Amino acid sequence: KRPYYAVLGGVSTGRMYATRQEAESALELMLSTSRPDLFSYTLDDCYDAWSDVAYRDMGRSSRRGYELSWSYVPESLRQKFARDVRTDDFQAVIDGLQARGLSDSTANHVKFLYSKLCQWMMQRDLITKNYAAFLVVQKTEHRKISTFTAEEVAKIQALANGDSEDRAVQTAMLTMIFLFTGMRISELFTLSVSSIHLEAPVPYLQGGVKTEAGKNRVIPIHRRILPFFQFFCDRAEGDLMVSGFCGNKRPDGWRSRDYAKMLESLGISYRVPHNTRKTMATNAAQAGVDQIALAKLMGWTDIDVGTKYYIAPEAAYLAAELDKLDRSGNS
């Protein structure tokens, strides 16, 4: 009697069917699958099974890159039967990321992860094609570089110096760390305590991902943010420095909840966390930091990357530079 179920060797498809014919069709599909026991796997189950093997021989930075991409996948999609996940499901994820201003690179990393999962499922006959191949990542136009002003940085600094038990204060601390290290959000949120050397004659951290020039780069810790590093390292509950933070410990949650709310409370217009990296590059360039040193600090392959995508000199700085003509006898 209705509803009908499809069960093979004690393994169910995990759903009910309105007609006997639908249930029999599901059984036929199970019989054609090399691993019927995987038929009721959710996407989350597939990720766990894939990562359990893939992560064994993977470097820490690569692994954390995949983990960051997985963090963008909503729970509702994770709990969907893997055999039912299609291109449209992940296209919605990618479109959502790009609508929020995240980079093409972030969207492509999510696409690449889904491709890996599709390959794993194809090998086990759960699906017949790599649906990730049909995903479209829109190439966004180069946006005008937007940085935080000195007045805005001062507001964030003032908040960061407040009650350290306050969630907004700790959020400001992390934002100051971004502003004075130039780290990407994926880098800071995967930074281990063991990579931070506060007792060295010159305190520094070693970390970074994405490019060869950026991996495991050395970044001296500026005195203005040294107390914040000490605070989070002392409170860390695990290997990651961010485990000492009292709010959202995943990049996406921190960005949309803690960080956005902090900026709003200070009356600062929203900018994605990556703009802190651009602010660091711009401030360093305007302060006269050696170009080779700046490229190494930021993890660029060359300084041209900075001048094209990161450095946005303020009009006052450019005017002051132009005034040098007066001092050179060209007035």
Side-chain angles (χ1 to χ4, degrees), residues 116-135:
K116 289 290 187 182
L117 295 179
C118 282
Q119 292 172 38
W120 187 91
M121 290 186 281
M122 288 171 65
Q123 290 172 355
R124 291 154 182 82
D125 299 322
L126 277 176
I127 57 176
T128 59
K129 64 182 72 172
N130 189 334
Y131 293 103
F134 307 106
L135 290 172

Side-chain angles (χ1 to χ4, degrees), residues 150-208:
E151 292 76 14
E152 290 171 334
V153 173
K155 286 184 178 181
I156 298 171
Q157 173 84 68
L159 178 59
N161 292 335
D163 179 7
S164 61
E165 296 302 317
D166 185 83
R167 183 165 170 170
V169 171
Q170 292 187 25
T171 301
M173 289 182 183
L174 287 175
T175 306
M176 287 297 296
I177 289 175
F178 279 121
L179 285 164
F180 280 84
T181 61
M183 297 190 81
R184 301 175 178 89
I185 190 169
S186 59
E187 294 173 333
L188 188 60
F189 273 72
T190 56
L191 181 67
S192 65
V193 174
S194 60
S195 299
I196 303 169
H197 306 280
L198 300 177
E199 304 304 322
V202 176
Y204 72 96
L205 64 88
Q206 189 164 14

Side-chain angles (χ1 to χ4, degrees), residues 46 50 68 71 124 129 149 158 167 170 203 229 251 261 273 275 299:
C46 290
W50 167 79
L68 177 62
S71 73
R124 291 154 182 82
K129 64 182 72 172
T149 66
R167 183 165 170 170
Q170 292 187 25
F229 270 104
K261 288 181 179 178
N275 285 88

